[in-house]
Amino acid sequence: MSATIYECEVLPADDFIVSWGINEGDQLGPPETCALGDVYRLTSTRHLRRLTLRMDDRITVLRDHSDSCSDTGQLPAGVDVTPLCQMRLMAQDGDLLDMVLLMIGAQRFALPLGPIRPAVNYALIDVNTDDTGFRLSEIVQGCFGAGTRITTADGSLVPIEQIEQGCMVLTRDHGAQPVRWIGKVTLRRFGDFAPVVIPAAGLGNLRSLHLAPRQRIFLYQRGDKRLGARAEILLQARQLVGSAGITQPEGGFVTYYSLAFDEHQIIYAEGVPMESLLVSRATLTRLPATLCSDLKTRFPHLHSNSHFAQDLSSDTLSGAARDTIFSAYSPFPAKAK
């Protein structure tokens, strides 16, 4: 089995203190001691560590990028990483935060799966010890595979690797818009990083599409039979695997490209409407460090709002619902055979 290399930032569990609740005054302990309703506060980010993990039949530290002169020292390469539980917390202003509690060697660490703010109160609302795997599929690593053709302002179809900053791209709602940022990352085609392959004409696409699993596809629903409450829906490519010849093959490497604009847009990839990269505070926690730094420089305010279309959950997409998409909700009429 091919290994997945994953970069993340973790914080010592001891830096999370219960400010109110059953365990008031205690540090974040093992799952069996956690009490729903307890309110946690991150006291410091001084001990934050950036780790590179290797994930195959086991999870190990490949490299600890922390300063070797820090008071806590570096974690040794090869030390085992064991997920203990996934936690969901709610901030005092209503923001939700998912976090994985890890045992790395003999120490507990917290891996936030979204932006976390020091000195903010977070109430613990769920602890899940059954699903302890890393939710790597939620990490934004790219959108479109190399070779995907994007519709530009004059109607031309340009391979995404030839798109440059400033290039005018056709959007569904705001006409021609300039590309502000382009991300590129190469990963092993394995597990959650393997691309979803939609064959030509599967969704009206002119050529086969190779998409990151969480890349969202825009569909406009006609008629009374709708999935969700709105005519406009966004569904993730991974939700269609197994229907109409859509696959997620593994093996080798894949290069993904991301396009960002001044605002979140719906653009056209091989003729099919798709979302651009949504730039937000959460994006920073989901990108590799090199891409994150560049994106933060170009988008200092990180204020883009998500498109108004409804995000369709996996629970909504039964086998019959997926078949309905291809028969009735394709963005273009089926071609005559």
Side-chain angles (χ1 to χ4, degrees):
M1 181 173 66
S2 300
T4 296
I5 305 303
Y6 174 42
E7 287 194 357
C8 62
E9 292 182 338
V10 299
L11 293 152
D14 289 351
D15 285 349
F16 290 85
I17 303 296
V18 178
S19 58
W20 182 89
I22 293 175
N23 296 305
E24 185 172 352
D26 292 346
Q27 298 163 325
L28 174 59
E32 59 270 19
T33 68
C34 296
L36 298 185
D38 276 359
V39 176
Y40 287 87
R41 177 175 291 196
L42 175 62
T43 59
S44 172
T45 59
R46 187 167 62 92
H47 301 129
L48 182 143
R49 294 173 179 271
R50 184 166 65 87
L51 305 179
T52 299
L53 304 182
R54 177 185 175 89
M55 306 175 68
D56 39 32
D57 56 339
R58 54 195 277 255
I59 308 172
T60 56
V61 172
L62 189 62
R63 183 182 177 188
D64 182 353
H65 302 267
S66 308
D67 186 350
S68 59
C69 298
S70 67
D71 55 358
T72 54
Q74 288 181 305
L75 292 168
V79 67
D80 283 325
V81 179
T82 304
L84 300 176
C85 68
Q86 291 208 33
M87 311 173 71
R88 171 159 286 193
L89 303 105
M90 179 180 288
Q92 57 200 46
D93 57 5
D95 281 350
L96 293 176
L97 171 69
D98 289 322
M99 191 164 69
V100 180
L101 185 62
L102 305 172
M103 182 65 74
I104 305 180
Q107 304 175 65
R108 282 191 306 276
F109 289 88
L111 167 58
L113 298 176
I116 185 167
R117 294 166 288 170
V120 170
N121 290 324
Y122 288 89
L124 181 63
I125 60 176
D126 186 53
V127 178
N128 186 351
T129 57
D130 296 325
D131 180 16
T132 56
F134 287 103
R135 286 159 42 188
L136 291 175
S137 57
E138 294 189 3
I139 300 171
V140 178
Q141 292 283 14
C143 297
F144 308 102
T148 303
R149 296 179 302 171
I150 304 298
T151 303
T152 56
D154 63 1
S156 301
L157 297 174
V158 178
I160 195 165
E161 57 267 38
Q162 296 179 18
I163 299 289
E164 299 178 349
Q165 291 175 17
C167 177
M168 301 299 290
V169 166
L170 181 65
T171 72
R172 180 183 184 273
D173 303 300
H174 302 103
Q177 293 293 320
V179 174
R180 296 302 188 190
W181 182 85
I182 302 169
K184 176 184 176 182
V185 64
T186 299
L187 302 166
R188 289 186 180 275
R189 295 172 60 114
F190 172 72
D192 292 323
F193 295 132
V196 173
V197 179
I198 302 175
L203 284 174
N205 40 305
L206 303 173
R207 292 182 182 175
S208 64
L209 277 165
H210 294 243
L211 305 173
R214 294 256 171 183
Q215 170 61 39
R216 295 192 299 176
I217 304 165
F218 177 92
L219 293 178
Y220 180 81
Q221 306 174 101
R222 297 174 176 83
D224 297 330
K225 294 174 60 178
R226 292 181 177 177
L227 301 175
R230 299 181 182 177
E232 301 87 359
I233 60 173
L234 288 165
L235 58 94
Q236 297 170 2
R238 68 184 182 91
Q239 295 172 311
L240 298 177
V241 173
S243 297
I246 297 176
T247 59
Q248 193 175 7
E250 298 181 347
F253 293 83
V254 60
T255 298
Y256 289 124
Y257 291 83
S258 304
L259 300 180
F261 300 81
D262 288 326
E263 296 293 340
H264 191 221
Q265 301 290 351
I266 300 297
I267 61 176
Y268 296 89
E270 296 297 343
V272 177
M274 309 255 181
E275 70 167 352
S276 66
L277 179 65
L278 174 61
V279 180
S280 67
R281 287 188 298 270
T283 305
L284 293 181
T285 69
R286 297 173 179 169
L287 283 171
T290 53
L291 297 187
C292 169
S293 176
D294 184 46
L295 184 59
K296 187 174 182 180
T297 299
R298 296 180 184 278
F299 290 86
H301 303 297
L302 297 172
H303 64 281
S304 293
N305 296 317
S306 179
H307 194 272
F308 62 85
Q310 181 181 4
D311 193 4
L312 209 60
S313 68
S314 297
D315 295 340
T316 309
L317 283 175
S318 64
R322 288 190 298 179
D323 292 340
T324 301
I325 289 173
F326 293 99
S327 63
Y329 298 122
S330 294
F332 299 100
K335 294 182 179 179
K337 295 182 179 180

